[in-house]
Amino acid sequence: MYVSFFDRPKVRLLVVASLAAPVFLLAGCANKSASSSVYSYGQAQREQIVRLGTVVSVRAVTIQEDQNSGVGTVGGAALGGVAASTIGGGRGSILASIGGAILGGLVGNAVENRMGKTQGLEITVQLDNGETRVVAQEADVPLSVGQRVRMLSGNGPTRVVPM
């Protein structure tokens, strides 16, 4: 009886893991930020408009990625399928692989959704000219009601930063 090199469970797991690793590494490179302290390369050295004001309210919000990349689902399905393929033999192994891939995909998608959420603040600012503006951004800079702030805007996101 001929046994393929790839029929060995540990070898299959190693092959899938080595194929999935670059996908997870590339997904980690796509790091978006809603921080008032983070500028993209294209936003650096760009003139911005500065408006002064006072914080009139701060509310905790959750900032969520607009769209999943699918990496969690695909990676979870691949790892779940390979891990479950070691269960049983013949048709049982095939069914276990399918079930493992489905469960792995669901778990991977849930993990990706959870990782795509950031704690944020919805900040309402009464500008010195009388206008009121609201900006949501990451909760990485503490802001409180009555605090004087600068609103920076132009050619990108608007940021609320302490004076």
Side-chain angles (χ1 to χ4, degrees):
M1 175 173 119
Y2 172 75
V3 176
S4 168
F5 178 73
F6 292 104
D7 285 342
R8 298 180 190 153
K10 288 182 182 178
V11 172
R12 277 189 284 183
L13 184 59
L14 182 62
V15 168
V16 170
S18 66
L19 293 174
V23 173
F24 288 115
L25 290 174
L26 286 174
C29 293
N31 188 14
K32 295 181 180 180
S33 177
S35 170
S36 64
S37 302
V38 175
Y39 286 80
S40 70
Y41 187 81
Q43 293 168 344
Q45 297 183 324
R46 301 268 183 181
E47 180 179 2
Q48 295 191 31
I49 298 167
V50 179
R51 295 172 289 167
L52 304 178
T54 304
V55 175
V56 294
S57 73
V58 178
R59 182 173 74 101
V61 296
T62 300
I63 300 171
Q64 183 171 330
E65 287 282 333
D66 294 334
Q67 199 170 17
N68 285 343
S69 67
V71 172
T73 304
V74 172
L79 293 176
V82 170
S85 71
T86 62
I87 299 170
R91 283 190 183 173
S93 177
I94 292 169
L95 292 175
S97 294
I98 292 169
I102 291 170
L103 288 175
L106 291 172
V107 170
N109 185 47
V111 168
E112 185 176 7
N113 282 336
R114 182 167 295 256
M115 292 183 72
K117 292 183 179 179
T118 304
Q119 294 305 310
L121 298 174
E122 178 188 84
I123 307 141
T124 304
V125 177
Q126 179 77 46
L127 297 174
D128 289 350
N129 68 5
E131 295 178 2
T132 302
R133 297 284 189 251
V134 177
V135 174
Q137 64 188 34
E138 280 186 34
D140 60 338
V141 175
L143 295 167
S144 58
V145 173
Q147 183 175 7
R148 293 288 291 164
V149 293
R150 293 178 293 145
M151 289 190 74
L152 310 174
S153 59
N155 208 12
T158 297
R159 296 170 169 86
V160 178
V161 296
M163 295 208 31

